[in-house]
Amino acid sequence: MYSTYIFDLDGTLLDTLDDLYLAVNYALRTHHLPERTREEVRAFVGNGVRMLMIRAIEGGERHPLFSDALATFQQYYLEHSLDNTRPYDGVQEMLHELKARGCRLAVVSNKFHTATADLCRHFFPDTVSVAIGEHEAEGIRKKPAPDTVVEALRKLGVTRENAVYVGDSDVDIATARNAQLPCISVLWGFRDRQFLTEHGATAFASRPSDLFETCG
């Protein structure tokens, strides 16, 4: 049973896909690059915004417009990250119940740090006490490196004991493994059960309330 929960953000707590999809295509369209479908963007997310744009732009970082398109994406997304993004059904109630039971809650994301902090402050101000996004410039590597998880545990003032990582992707499974934490893979996010199983998932939550059974 767990008393500390480290959550991924996109695809786990928040359905951010539409805003990411729209931001990607705004950047591509602005720079006269071929646009991507929603399902393509779904497959591209998980490794941070830079990798998202590398996957979205043919030629990736080698494309002469890559840096400009990435900057356009970042600016647009910061201004529009709340347009369509919402918590998944049952997430708010789940977080409040876990906190009421005395659990410590944190979020770690490969989304750039400002957006991660802003979204958590907006949607989870009373439940998530630590929110860490991508800020490798400060020496904290993004997932699947364990650095953001280690930093979250440090800021919560707890150890790995009785802590669990909750995410929706192969990146999250690898992050939990690298951080030496058990992992619960959620089935309402960006990846399905078969994909997660193929990437090593062994514990699943079909709905947010399933996490109540793991708290104690």
Side-chain angles (χ1 to χ4, degrees), residues 144-159:
D147 300 29
T148 52
V149 175
V150 172
E151 179 69 1
L153 293 172
R154 185 188 70 79
K155 287 191 172 185
L156 287 174
V158 299
T159 67

Side-chain angles (χ1 to χ4, degrees), residues 130-171:
V130 171
I132 299 173
E134 187 278 314
H135 53 303
E136 290 192 306
E138 299 177 23
I140 297 177
R141 296 171 296 169
K142 64 178 180 291
K143 302 182 295 184
D147 300 29
T148 52
V149 175
V150 172
E151 179 69 1
L153 293 172
R154 185 188 70 79
K155 287 191 172 185
L156 287 174
V158 299
T159 67
R160 289 183 177 87
E161 186 178 4
N162 299 322
V164 64
Y165 185 98
V166 183
D168 74 304
S169 74
D170 52 321
V171 175

